[in-house]
Amino acid sequence: ETGVTQSPTHLIKTRGQQVTLRCSSQSGHNTVSWYQQALGQGPQFIFQYYREEENGRGNFPPRFSGLQFPNYSSELNVNALELDDSALYLCASSLPGDRVEQYFGPGTRLTVT
Amino acid sequence: AQSVTQLDSHVSVSEGTPVLLRCNYSSSYSPSLFWYVQHPNKGLQLLLKYTSAATLVKGINGFEAEFKKSETSFHLTKPSAHMSDAAEYFCVVSGPRQGQKVTFGIGTKLQVIP
């Protein structure tokens, strides 16, 4: 069984640029969530996708957007990067349903200079 | 609205002694509660979860947690710490429905002294 994978592992961008992060869900999981983990903090929920539609969102501005594809892989796009966007971005997949646990990928470390 | 408070940012124990990591929550719903562990340079791993069934929940690696509604607590315990338990631990609360916001605590760093 393949776990959750994310690419790239590290990324450096300049303020104002745009970035796309990618995630492949664990086999059989059709729900994916994205989180931002700043240094020394707990992960913060960005949004969740189910059946290719956004299914829930945290307190993040619209410049954070996502996509989910028919094979359940997913992208996180961030426009107009700010210095505070520097963080570890985590993807988590899960089976559909209520009260289910999530399986996390290793994350993408984004540095904005 | 929901929130989670991990009462200790750092906990230090000697190998072989009990571990207690404290977590309090607030939620407008009947919450789901989870504990995750994060080892350095590794992904988050689920330790255990509470989903409105038994209040005493057993997880992996000898960890367990007790849901106490009257105290709004979900503390994580282990009878005997092992060196491999050194990591960061996160208490997590979410609503009962898929897609509802998931809230992580700030984390507790567990140090195990040989």
Side-chain angles (χ1 to χ4, degrees), chain A residues 31 35 37 40-43 45 48 50 55-57 59 88 90 96-102 104-106, chain B residues 30-32 34 36 38 42-44 46 49-52 90 95-102 104-107:
Chain A
T31 301
Y35 295 82
Q37 185 176 17
Q41 302 292 320
F45 176 64
Q48 183 183 84
Y50 171 61
N55 189 38
R57 190 176 183 97
N59 299 328
L88 181 68
L90 297 165
D98 303 330
R99 303 187 183 276
V100 294
E101 63 267 33
Q102 298 180 319
F104 284 82
Chain B
S30 168
S32 296
F34 307 83
Y36 283 86
Q38 189 174 37
K42 290 195 175 180
L44 286 154
L46 178 72
K49 67 176 183 179
Y50 166 78
T51 58
S52 78
F90 293 95
R97 296 290 182 207
Q98 180 180 355
Q100 288 182 316
K101 187 177 176 180
V102 178
F104 275 70
I106 62 168

mmCIF file of all heavy atoms in Angstrom, chain A residues 31 35 37 40-43 45 48 50 55-57 59 88 90 96-102 104-106, chain B residues 30-32 34 36 38 42-44 46 49-52 90 95-102 104-107:
data_model
loop_
_atom_site.group_PDB
_atom_site.id
_atom_site.type_symbol
_atom_site.label_atom_id
_atom_site.label_comp_id
_atom_site.label_asym_id
_atom_site.label_seq_id
_atom_site.Cartn_x
_atom_site.Cartn_y
_atom_site.Cartn_z
ATOM 1 N N THR A 31 -10.482 11.661 -0.298
ATOM 2 C CA THR A 31 -10.598 12.949 0.374
ATOM 3 C C THR A 31 -9.200 13.435 0.731
ATOM 4 O O THR A 31 -8.392 12.666 1.251
ATOM 5 C CB THR A 31 -11.441 12.802 1.656
ATOM 6 O OG1 THR A 31 -12.737 12.307 1.308
ATOM 7 C CG2 THR A 31 -11.592 14.143 2.358
ATOM 8 N N TYR A 35 -2.691 21.485 4.935
ATOM 9 C CA TYR A 35 -2.384 22.210 6.154
ATOM 10 C C TYR A 35 -1.111 23.027 5.966
ATOM 11 O O TYR A 35 -0.212 22.636 5.213
ATOM 12 C CB TYR A 35 -2.142 21.234 7.325
ATOM 13 C CG TYR A 35 -3.362 20.443 7.727
ATOM 14 C CD1 TYR A 35 -3.725 19.288 7.027
ATOM 15 C CD2 TYR A 35 -4.156 20.843 8.794
ATOM 16 C CE1 TYR A 35 -4.836 18.561 7.394
ATOM 17 C CE2 TYR A 35 -5.267 20.115 9.171
ATOM 18 C CZ TYR A 35 -5.604 18.983 8.458
ATOM 19 O OH TYR A 35 -6.714 18.263 8.821
ATOM 20 N N GLN A 37 2.025 24.481 8.288
ATOM 21 C CA GLN A 37 2.654 24.387 9.609
ATOM 22 C C GLN A 37 3.840 25.339 9.654
ATOM 23 O O GLN A 37 4.905 25.053 9.088
ATOM 24 C CB GLN A 37 3.101 22.958 9.921
ATOM 25 C CG GLN A 37 3.639 22.796 11.333
ATOM 26 C CD GLN A 37 4.009 21.363 11.690
ATOM 27 O OE1 GLN A 37 4.165 20.509 10.822
ATOM 28 N NE2 GLN A 37 4.137 21.074 12.988
ATOM 29 N N GLY A 40 7.548 25.900 14.667
ATOM 30 C CA GLY A 40 7.195 25.948 16.080
ATOM 31 C C GLY A 40 5.705 25.988 16.363
ATOM 32 O O GLY A 40 5.298 26.181 17.511
ATOM 33 N N GLN A 41 4.890 25.807 15.336
ATOM 34 C CA GLN A 41 3.427 25.853 15.504
ATOM 35 C C GLN A 41 2.799 24.515 15.108
ATOM 36 O O GLN A 41 3.432 23.688 14.453
ATOM 37 C CB GLN A 41 2.837 26.955 14.610
ATOM 38 C CG GLN A 41 3.401 28.333 14.875
ATOM 39 C CD GLN A 41 2.992 28.863 16.223
ATOM 40 O OE1 GLN A 41 1.864 28.685 16.654
ATOM 41 N NE2 GLN A 41 3.923 29.506 16.912
ATOM 42 N N GLY A 42 1.542 24.339 15.476
ATOM 43 C CA GLY A 42 0.792 23.192 15.002
ATOM 44 C C GLY A 42 0.259 23.460 13.596
ATOM 45 O O GLY A 42 0.149 24.606 13.174
ATOM 46 N N PRO A 43 -0.030 22.419 12.847
ATOM 47 C CA PRO A 43 -0.594 22.603 11.510
ATOM 48 C C PRO A 43 -1.916 23.369 11.558
ATOM 49 O O PRO A 43 -2.714 23.176 12.476
ATOM 50 C CB PRO A 43 -0.815 21.163 11.026
ATOM 51 C CG PRO A 43 0.148 20.338 11.815
ATOM 52 C CD PRO A 43 0.216 21.000 13.157
ATOM 53 N N PHE A 45 -5.389 24.190 9.337
ATOM 54 C CA PHE A 45 -6.229 23.660 8.266
ATOM 55 C C PHE A 45 -6.457 24.719 7.197
ATOM 56 O O PHE A 45 -6.953 25.812 7.495
ATOM 57 C CB PHE A 45 -7.560 23.211 8.876
ATOM 58 C CG PHE A 45 -8.595 22.709 7.906
ATOM 59 C CD1 PHE A 45 -8.376 21.563 7.167
ATOM 60 C CD2 PHE A 45 -9.801 23.374 7.765
ATOM 61 C CE1 PHE A 45 -9.342 21.084 6.295
ATOM 62 C CE2 PHE A 45 -10.780 22.901 6.901
ATOM 63 C CZ PHE A 45 -10.554 21.750 6.157
ATOM 64 N N GLN A 48 -10.219 21.302 2.472
ATOM 65 C CA GLN A 48 -10.380 19.885 2.186
ATOM 66 C C GLN A 48 -11.095 19.721 0.848
ATOM 67 O O GLN A 48 -11.994 20.513 0.515
ATOM 68 C CB GLN A 48 -11.203 19.196 3.277
ATOM 69 C CG GLN A 48 -11.357 17.687 3.073
ATOM 70 C CD GLN A 48 -12.252 17.058 4.139
ATOM 71 O OE1 GLN A 48 -13.476 17.049 4.043
ATOM 72 N NE2 GLN A 48 -11.618 16.519 5.169
ATOM 73 N N TYR A 50 -13.127 16.861 -1.689
ATOM 74 C CA TYR A 50 -13.802 15.568 -1.789
ATOM 75 C C TYR A 50 -14.508 15.536 -3.127
ATOM 76 O O TYR A 50 -15.252 16.463 -3.461
ATOM 77 C CB TYR A 50 -14.791 15.397 -0.635
ATOM 78 C CG TYR A 50 -15.703 14.204 -0.753
ATOM 79 C CD1 TYR A 50 -15.189 12.915 -0.792
ATOM 80 C CD2 TYR A 50 -17.093 14.362 -0.813
ATOM 81 C CE1 TYR A 50 -16.025 11.809 -0.895
ATOM 82 C CE2 TYR A 50 -17.930 13.270 -0.916
ATOM 83 C CZ TYR A 50 -17.391 11.993 -0.958
ATOM 84 O OH TYR A 50 -18.220 10.904 -1.055
ATOM 85 N N ASN A 55 -14.587 21.140 0.120
ATOM 86 C CA ASN A 55 -15.566 20.556 1.025
ATOM 87 C C ASN A 55 -15.471 21.147 2.427
ATOM 88 O O ASN A 55 -16.091 20.663 3.350
ATOM 89 C CB ASN A 55 -15.317 19.044 1.069
ATOM 90 C CG ASN A 55 -16.397 18.293 1.801
ATOM 91 O OD1 ASN A 55 -17.566 18.636 1.695
ATOM 92 N ND2 ASN A 55 -16.018 17.298 2.576
ATOM 93 N N GLY A 56 -14.665 22.179 2.584
ATOM 94 C CA GLY A 56 -14.459 22.784 3.893
ATOM 95 C C GLY A 56 -13.217 23.647 3.791
ATOM 96 O O GLY A 56 -12.289 23.327 3.042
ATOM 97 N N ARG A 57 -13.181 24.765 4.526
ATOM 98 C CA ARG A 57 -12.071 25.703 4.411
ATOM 99 C C ARG A 57 -11.776 26.326 5.759
ATOM 100 O O ARG A 57 -12.705 26.624 6.528
ATOM 101 C CB ARG A 57 -12.405 26.789 3.390
ATOM 102 C CG ARG A 57 -11.243 27.671 3.013
ATOM 103 C CD ARG A 57 -11.608 28.665 1.919
ATOM 104 N NE ARG A 57 -10.435 29.433 1.544
ATOM 105 C CZ ARG A 57 -9.647 29.160 0.512
ATOM 106 N NH1 ARG A 57 -9.917 28.127 -0.263
ATOM 107 N NH2 ARG A 57 -8.592 29.898 0.234
ATOM 108 N N ASN A 59 -9.283 29.465 7.834
ATOM 109 C CA ASN A 59 -9.182 30.928 7.730
ATOM 110 C C ASN A 59 -8.002 31.351 6.863
ATOM 111 O O ASN A 59 -7.056 31.983 7.340
ATOM 112 C CB ASN A 59 -9.057 31.534 9.123
ATOM 113 C CG ASN A 59 -10.272 31.230 9.980
ATOM 114 O OD1 ASN A 59 -11.385 31.113 9.469
ATOM 115 N ND2 ASN A 59 -10.052 31.055 11.267
ATOM 116 N N LEU A 88 5.958 24.681 6.386
ATOM 117 C CA LEU A 88 5.846 23.310 5.901
ATOM 118 C C LEU A 88 4.387 23.098 5.507
ATOM 119 O O LEU A 88 3.481 23.360 6.301
ATOM 120 C CB LEU A 88 6.241 22.335 6.997
ATOM 121 C CG LEU A 88 6.209 20.844 6.655
ATOM 122 C CD1 LEU A 88 7.303 20.491 5.645
ATOM 123 C CD2 LEU A 88 6.373 19.993 7.918
ATOM 124 N N LEU A 90 1.534 20.507 4.513
ATOM 125 C CA LEU A 90 1.225 19.094 4.685
ATOM 126 C C LEU A 90 -0.055 18.744 3.950
ATOM 127 O O LEU A 90 -1.035 19.490 3.976
ATOM 128 C CB LEU A 90 1.044 18.765 6.166
ATOM 129 C CG LEU A 90 2.274 18.961 7.043
ATOM 130 C CD1 LEU A 90 1.875 18.956 8.512
ATOM 131 C CD2 LEU A 90 3.291 17.864 6.779
ATOM 132 N N PRO A 96 -13.697 8.670 2.749
ATOM 133 C CA PRO A 96 -14.834 9.560 2.986
ATOM 134 C C PRO A 96 -15.577 9.147 4.248
ATOM 135 O O PRO A 96 -15.501 8.000 4.671
ATOM 136 C CB PRO A 96 -15.710 9.339 1.742
ATOM 137 C CG PRO A 96 -15.370 7.967 1.289
ATOM 138 C CD PRO A 96 -13.910 7.773 1.613
ATOM 139 N N GLY A 97 -16.277 10.111 4.838
ATOM 140 C CA GLY A 97 -17.083 9.775 6.004
ATOM 141 C C GLY A 97 -16.783 10.686 7.168
ATOM 142 O O GLY A 97 -15.850 11.496 7.134
ATOM 143 N N ASP A 98 -17.574 10.523 8.208
ATOM 144 C CA ASP A 98 -17.429 11.345 9.401
ATOM 145 C C ASP A 98 -16.461 10.708 10.385
ATOM 146 O O ASP A 98 -16.342 9.487 10.454
ATOM 147 C CB ASP A 98 -18.791 11.513 10.074
ATOM 148 C CG ASP A 98 -19.817 12.119 9.130
ATOM 149 O OD1 ASP A 98 -19.428 12.890 8.242
ATOM 150 O OD2 ASP A 98 -21.003 11.795 9.289
ATOM 151 N N ARG A 99 -15.756 11.566 11.120
ATOM 152 C CA ARG A 99 -14.906 11.115 12.231
ATOM 153 C C ARG A 99 -13.803 10.145 11.783
ATOM 154 O O ARG A 99 -13.425 9.246 12.521
ATOM 155 C CB ARG A 99 -15.739 10.463 13.340
ATOM 156 C CG ARG A 99 -16.832 11.383 13.907
ATOM 157 C CD ARG A 99 -17.506 10.752 15.105
ATOM 158 N NE ARG A 99 -18.593 11.528 15.641
ATOM 159 C CZ ARG A 99 -18.473 12.515 16.496
ATOM 160 N NH1 ARG A 99 -17.275 12.879 16.901
ATOM 161 N NH2 ARG A 99 -19.517 13.158 16.958
ATOM 162 N N VAL A 100 -13.302 10.332 10.579
ATOM 163 C CA VAL A 100 -12.232 9.446 10.100
ATOM 164 C C VAL A 100 -10.875 10.080 10.334
ATOM 165 O O VAL A 100 -10.734 11.305 10.339
ATOM 166 C CB VAL A 100 -12.399 9.113 8.601
ATOM 167 C CG1 VAL A 100 -13.661 8.292 8.384
ATOM 168 C CG2 VAL A 100 -12.441 10.374 7.746
ATOM 169 N N GLU A 101 -9.859 9.230 10.505
ATOM 170 C CA GLU A 101 -8.516 9.751 10.697
ATOM 171 C C GLU A 101 -7.895 10.091 9.355
ATOM 172 O O GLU A 101 -8.317 9.606 8.307
ATOM 173 C CB GLU A 101 -7.635 8.735 11.441
ATOM 174 C CG GLU A 101 -7.401 7.431 10.695
ATOM 175 C CD GLU A 101 -8.419 6.384 11.074
ATOM 176 O OE1 GLU A 101 -9.588 6.736 11.361
ATOM 177 O OE2 GLU A 101 -8.057 5.185 11.072
ATOM 178 N N GLN A 102 -6.870 10.926 9.402
ATOM 179 C CA GLN A 102 -6.170 11.352 8.207
ATOM 180 C C GLN A 102 -4.767 10.764 8.205
ATOM 181 O O GLN A 102 -4.162 10.555 9.258
ATOM 182 C CB GLN A 102 -6.095 12.879 8.159
ATOM 183 C CG GLN A 102 -7.475 13.523 8.088
ATOM 184 C CD GLN A 102 -7.408 15.020 8.032
ATOM 185 O OE1 GLN A 102 -6.622 15.643 8.713
ATOM 186 N NE2 GLN A 102 -8.250 15.610 7.203
ATOM 187 N N PHE A 104 -0.986 11.467 6.766
ATOM 188 C CA PHE A 104 -0.218 12.630 6.332
ATOM 189 C C PHE A 104 0.980 12.249 5.474
ATOM 190 O O PHE A 104 1.634 11.228 5.701
ATOM 191 C CB PHE A 104 0.276 13.412 7.547
ATOM 192 C CG PHE A 104 -0.797 14.222 8.206
ATOM 193 C CD1 PHE A 104 -1.679 13.647 9.107
ATOM 194 C CD2 PHE A 104 -0.944 15.574 7.908
ATOM 195 C CE1 PHE A 104 -2.682 14.393 9.711
ATOM 196 C CE2 PHE A 104 -1.945 16.331 8.509
ATOM 197 C CZ PHE A 104 -2.811 15.737 9.407
ATOM 198 N N GLY A 105 1.278 13.130 4.523
ATOM 199 C CA GLY A 105 2.511 13.048 3.780
ATOM 200 C C GLY A 105 3.641 13.721 4.544
ATOM 201 O O GLY A 105 3.415 14.336 5.587
ATOM 202 N N PRO A 106 4.859 13.646 4.017
ATOM 203 C CA PRO A 106 6.013 14.210 4.715
ATOM 204 C C PRO A 106 6.110 15.730 4.617
ATOM 205 O O PRO A 106 6.879 16.350 5.363
ATOM 206 C CB PRO A 106 7.202 13.554 4.007
ATOM 207 C CG PRO A 106 6.687 13.243 2.648
ATOM 208 C CD PRO A 106 5.238 12.918 2.798
ATOM 209 N N SER B 30 -20.424 17.668 19.189
ATOM 210 C CA SER B 30 -19.853 16.466 19.786
ATOM 211 C C SER B 30 -18.544 16.204 19.042
ATOM 212 O O SER B 30 -18.560 15.832 17.871
ATOM 213 C CB SER B 30 -20.817 15.292 19.590
ATOM 214 O OG SER B 30 -20.188 14.082 19.909
ATOM 215 N N PRO B 31 -17.411 16.442 19.669
ATOM 216 C CA PRO B 31 -16.158 16.485 18.912
ATOM 217 C C PRO B 31 -15.597 15.112 18.579
ATOM 218 O O PRO B 31 -15.893 14.118 19.236
ATOM 219 C CB PRO B 31 -15.217 17.217 19.864
ATOM 220 C CG PRO B 31 -15.687 16.787 21.226
ATOM 221 C CD PRO B 31 -17.187 16.664 21.104
ATOM 222 N N SER B 32 -14.757 15.093 17.558
ATOM 223 C CA SER B 32 -13.820 13.993 17.356
ATOM 224 C C SER B 32 -12.473 14.495 17.860
ATOM 225 O O SER B 32 -12.112 15.650 17.629
ATOM 226 C CB SER B 32 -13.710 13.630 15.869
ATOM 227 O OG SER B 32 -14.935 13.155 15.388
ATOM 228 N N PHE B 34 -8.225 13.552 18.421
ATOM 229 C CA PHE B 34 -7.125 12.725 17.945
ATOM 230 C C PHE B 34 -5.829 13.155 18.631
ATOM 231 O O PHE B 34 -5.676 14.313 19.029
ATOM 232 C CB PHE B 34 -6.921 12.902 16.428
ATOM 233 C CG PHE B 34 -8.154 12.690 15.586
ATOM 234 C CD1 PHE B 34 -9.077 13.710 15.418
ATOM 235 C CD2 PHE B 34 -8.374 11.491 14.938
ATOM 236 C CE1 PHE B 34 -10.218 13.529 14.634
ATOM 237 C CE2 PHE B 34 -9.500 11.299 14.146
ATOM 238 C CZ PHE B 34 -10.414 12.323 14.002
ATOM 239 N N TYR B 36 -1.773 12.939 17.430
ATOM 240 C CA TYR B 36 -0.801 12.603 16.397
ATOM 241 C C TYR B 36 0.597 12.824 16.945
ATOM 242 O O TYR B 36 0.807 13.693 17.800
ATOM 243 C CB TYR B 36 -0.986 13.483 15.156
ATOM 244 C CG TYR B 36 -2.149 13.113 14.268
ATOM 245 C CD1 TYR B 36 -3.426 13.598 14.522
ATOM 246 C CD2 TYR B 36 -1.962 12.289 13.159
ATOM 247 C CE1 TYR B 36 -4.490 13.270 13.688
ATOM 248 C CE2 TYR B 36 -3.022 11.955 12.323
ATOM 249 C CZ TYR B 36 -4.276 12.454 12.596
ATOM 250 O OH TYR B 36 -5.328 12.125 11.769
ATOM 251 N N GLN B 38 4.717 13.512 15.722
ATOM 252 C CA GLN B 38 5.564 13.944 14.613
ATOM 253 C C GLN B 38 7.024 13.780 15.006
ATOM 254 O O GLN B 38 7.529 14.524 15.850
ATOM 255 C CB GLN B 38 5.266 15.398 14.244
ATOM 256 C CG GLN B 38 5.940 15.869 12.967
ATOM 257 C CD GLN B 38 5.496 17.276 12.568
ATOM 258 O OE1 GLN B 38 5.287 18.143 13.415
ATOM 259 N NE2 GLN B 38 5.339 17.519 11.270
ATOM 260 N N LYS B 42 9.802 13.544 9.704
ATOM 261 C CA LYS B 42 8.850 12.500 9.301
ATOM 262 C C LYS B 42 7.437 13.071 9.342
ATOM 263 O O LYS B 42 7.167 14.089 9.972
ATOM 264 C CB LYS B 42 8.949 11.298 10.247
ATOM 265 C CG LYS B 42 10.249 10.520 10.095
ATOM 266 C CD LYS B 42 10.158 9.172 10.753
ATOM 267 C CE LYS B 42 11.420 8.358 10.491
ATOM 268 N NZ LYS B 42 11.384 7.041 11.118
ATOM 269 N N GLY B 43 6.531 12.418 8.647
ATOM 270 C CA GLY B 43 5.150 12.869 8.619
ATOM 271 C C GLY B 43 4.431 12.610 9.923
ATOM 272 O O GLY B 43 4.880 11.842 10.764
ATOM 273 N N LEU B 44 3.297 13.253 10.090
ATOM 274 C CA LEU B 44 2.454 13.044 11.266
ATOM 275 C C LEU B 44 1.850 11.642 11.227
ATOM 276 O O LEU B 44 1.356 11.187 10.193
ATOM 277 C CB LEU B 44 1.327 14.072 11.276
ATOM 278 C CG LEU B 44 1.741 15.478 11.660
ATOM 279 C CD1 LEU B 44 0.793 16.503 11.064
ATOM 280 C CD2 LEU B 44 1.771 15.606 13.175
ATOM 281 N N LEU B 46 -0.897 8.981 13.244
ATOM 282 C CA LEU B 46 -1.989 8.889 14.189
ATOM 283 C C LEU B 46 -1.629 7.938 15.321
ATOM 284 O O LEU B 46 -1.207 6.798 15.091
ATOM 285 C CB LEU B 46 -3.246 8.378 13.488
ATOM 286 C CG LEU B 46 -4.472 8.179 14.383
ATOM 287 C CD1 LEU B 46 -5.038 9.532 14.802
ATOM 288 C CD2 LEU B 46 -5.538 7.353 13.679
ATOM 289 N N LYS B 49 -7.635 7.814 18.403
ATOM 290 C CA LYS B 49 -8.729 8.737 18.142
ATOM 291 C C LYS B 49 -9.927 8.406 19.029
ATOM 292 O O LYS B 49 -10.170 7.244 19.386
ATOM 293 C CB LYS B 49 -9.146 8.696 16.672
ATOM 294 C CG LYS B 49 -9.790 7.383 16.227
ATOM 295 C CD LYS B 49 -10.261 7.464 14.775
ATOM 296 C CE LYS B 49 -10.966 6.178 14.358
ATOM 297 N NZ LYS B 49 -11.451 6.253 12.948
ATOM 298 N N TYR B 50 -10.683 9.443 19.367
ATOM 299 C CA TYR B 50 -11.946 9.306 20.082
ATOM 300 C C TYR B 50 -13.062 9.793 19.156
ATOM 301 O O TYR B 50 -12.995 10.895 18.618
ATOM 302 C CB TYR B 50 -11.960 10.150 21.361
ATOM 303 C CG TYR B 50 -13.348 10.294 21.921
ATOM 304 C CD1 TYR B 50 -13.933 9.260 22.641
ATOM 305 C CD2 TYR B 50 -14.089 11.449 21.689
ATOM 306 C CE1 TYR B 50 -15.219 9.375 23.122
ATOM 307 C CE2 TYR B 50 -15.381 11.566 22.171
ATOM 308 C CZ TYR B 50 -15.946 10.527 22.881
ATOM 309 O OH TYR B 50 -17.223 10.642 23.338
ATOM 310 N N THR B 51 -14.086 8.941 18.978
ATOM 311 C CA THR B 51 -15.174 9.317 18.067
ATOM 312 C C THR B 51 -16.536 9.016 18.668
ATOM 313 O O THR B 51 -17.452 8.623 17.965
ATOM 314 C CB THR B 51 -15.030 8.582 16.730
ATOM 315 O OG1 THR B 51 -15.043 7.169 16.982
ATOM 316 C CG2 THR B 51 -13.754 8.949 16.018
ATOM 317 N N SER B 52 -16.697 9.229 19.936
ATOM 318 C CA SER B 52 -17.948 9.115 20.676
ATOM 319 C C SER B 52 -18.315 7.699 21.084
ATOM 320 O O SER B 52 -19.447 7.451 21.485
ATOM 321 C CB SER B 52 -19.130 9.743 19.906
ATOM 322 O OG SER B 52 -19.584 8.878 18.890
ATOM 323 N N PHE B 90 0.708 16.178 19.000
ATOM 324 C CA PHE B 90 -0.335 17.150 18.720
ATOM 325 C C PHE B 90 -1.702 16.588 19.087
ATOM 326 O O PHE B 90 -2.049 15.485 18.668
ATOM 327 C CB PHE B 90 -0.345 17.545 17.243
ATOM 328 C CG PHE B 90 0.861 18.316 16.804
ATOM 329 C CD1 PHE B 90 1.939 17.666 16.215
ATOM 330 C CD2 PHE B 90 0.920 19.692 16.992
ATOM 331 C CE1 PHE B 90 3.059 18.375 15.810
ATOM 332 C CE2 PHE B 90 2.033 20.405 16.587
ATOM 333 C CZ PHE B 90 3.109 19.748 16.001
ATOM 334 N N GLY B 95 -14.952 18.647 14.038
ATOM 335 C CA GLY B 95 -16.379 18.433 14.156
ATOM 336 C C GLY B 95 -16.740 17.020 13.752
ATOM 337 O O GLY B 95 -15.906 16.278 13.238
ATOM 338 N N PRO B 96 -17.986 16.645 13.950
ATOM 339 C CA PRO B 96 -18.391 15.271 13.668
ATOM 340 C C PRO B 96 -18.606 14.969 12.197
ATOM 341 O O PRO B 96 -18.735 13.808 11.817
ATOM 342 C CB PRO B 96 -19.705 15.125 14.439
ATOM 343 C CG PRO B 96 -20.243 16.515 14.494
ATOM 344 C CD PRO B 96 -19.064 17.428 14.563
ATOM 345 N N ARG B 97 -18.627 16.021 11.356
ATOM 346 C CA ARG B 97 -18.936 15.822 9.941
ATOM 347 C C ARG B 97 -17.714 16.017 9.064
ATOM 348 O O ARG B 97 -16.860 16.856 9.327
ATOM 349 C CB ARG B 97 -20.011 16.827 9.491
ATOM 350 C CG ARG B 97 -21.340 16.640 10.183
ATOM 351 C CD ARG B 97 -22.009 15.382 9.725
ATOM 352 N NE ARG B 97 -23.309 15.197 10.347
ATOM 353 C CZ ARG B 97 -23.882 14.021 10.549
ATOM 354 N NH1 ARG B 97 -23.266 12.922 10.180
ATOM 355 N NH2 ARG B 97 -25.064 13.937 11.113
ATOM 356 N N GLN B 98 -17.673 15.241 7.983
ATOM 357 C CA GLN B 98 -16.596 15.380 7.001
ATOM 358 C C GLN B 98 -16.532 16.818 6.505
ATOM 359 O O GLN B 98 -17.555 17.440 6.243
ATOM 360 C CB GLN B 98 -16.858 14.442 5.831
ATOM 361 C CG GLN B 98 -15.813 14.503 4.739
ATOM 362 C CD GLN B 98 -16.124 13.547 3.601
ATOM 363 O OE1 GLN B 98 -17.068 12.766 3.672
ATOM 364 N NE2 GLN B 98 -15.341 13.597 2.564
ATOM 365 N N GLY B 99 -15.316 17.336 6.381
ATOM 366 C CA GLY B 99 -15.133 18.667 5.834
ATOM 367 C C GLY B 99 -15.158 19.770 6.870
ATOM 368 O O GLY B 99 -14.811 20.909 6.571
ATOM 369 N N GLN B 100 -15.584 19.467 8.092
ATOM 370 C CA GLN B 100 -15.573 20.489 9.131
ATOM 371 C C GLN B 100 -14.144 20.784 9.542
ATOM 372 O O GLN B 100 -13.260 19.938 9.453
ATOM 373 C CB GLN B 100 -16.412 20.043 10.324
ATOM 374 C CG GLN B 100 -17.904 20.077 10.031
ATOM 375 C CD GLN B 100 -18.746 19.684 11.221
ATOM 376 O OE1 GLN B 100 -18.449 18.719 11.908
ATOM 377 N NE2 GLN B 100 -19.818 20.429 11.456
ATOM 378 N N LYS B 101 -13.963 21.998 10.044
ATOM 379 C CA LYS B 101 -12.627 22.484 10.339
ATOM 380 C C LYS B 101 -11.919 21.563 11.331
ATOM 381 O O LYS B 101 -12.523 21.069 12.279
ATOM 382 C CB LYS B 101 -12.726 23.897 10.908
ATOM 383 C CG LYS B 101 -11.383 24.571 11.106
ATOM 384 C CD LYS B 101 -11.593 25.990 11.602
ATOM 385 C CE LYS B 101 -10.252 26.643 11.910
ATOM 386 N NZ LYS B 101 -10.398 28.016 12.404
ATOM 387 N N VAL B 102 -10.637 21.364 11.088
ATOM 388 C CA VAL B 102 -9.789 20.561 11.958
ATOM 389 C C VAL B 102 -8.828 21.509 12.660
ATOM 390 O O VAL B 102 -8.177 22.319 12.009
ATOM 391 C CB VAL B 102 -9.001 19.523 11.136
ATOM 392 C CG1 VAL B 102 -8.077 18.721 12.033
ATOM 393 C CG2 VAL B 102 -9.963 18.607 10.383
ATOM 394 N N PHE B 104 -5.579 21.923 15.250
ATOM 395 C CA PHE B 104 -4.444 21.317 15.952
ATOM 396 C C PHE B 104 -4.052 22.199 17.139
ATOM 397 O O PHE B 104 -4.136 23.425 17.079
ATOM 398 C CB PHE B 104 -3.232 21.230 15.028
ATOM 399 C CG PHE B 104 -3.194 20.018 14.136
ATOM 400 C CD1 PHE B 104 -4.085 19.868 13.089
ATOM 401 C CD2 PHE B 104 -2.235 19.035 14.335
ATOM 402 C CE1 PHE B 104 -4.035 18.754 12.253
ATOM 403 C CE2 PHE B 104 -2.171 17.922 13.508
ATOM 404 C CZ PHE B 104 -3.079 17.784 12.474
ATOM 405 N N GLY B 105 -3.568 21.561 18.210
ATOM 406 C CA GLY B 105 -2.901 22.298 19.271
ATOM 407 C C GLY B 105 -1.510 22.711 18.816
ATOM 408 O O GLY B 105 -1.061 22.339 17.725
ATOM 409 N N ILE B 106 -0.831 23.476 19.659
ATOM 410 C CA ILE B 106 0.484 23.985 19.270
ATOM 411 C C ILE B 106 1.574 22.926 19.408
ATOM 412 O O ILE B 106 2.694 23.119 18.949
ATOM 413 C CB ILE B 106 0.883 25.235 20.072
ATOM 414 C CG1 ILE B 106 0.983 24.916 21.569
ATOM 415 C CG2 ILE B 106 -0.086 26.369 19.818
ATOM 416 C CD1 ILE B 106 1.646 26.017 22.373
ATOM 417 N N GLY B 107 1.246 21.810 20.054
ATOM 418 C CA GLY B 107 2.194 20.722 20.174
ATOM 419 C C GLY B 107 2.901 20.685 21.518
ATOM 420 O O GLY B 107 3.103 21.725 22.168
#
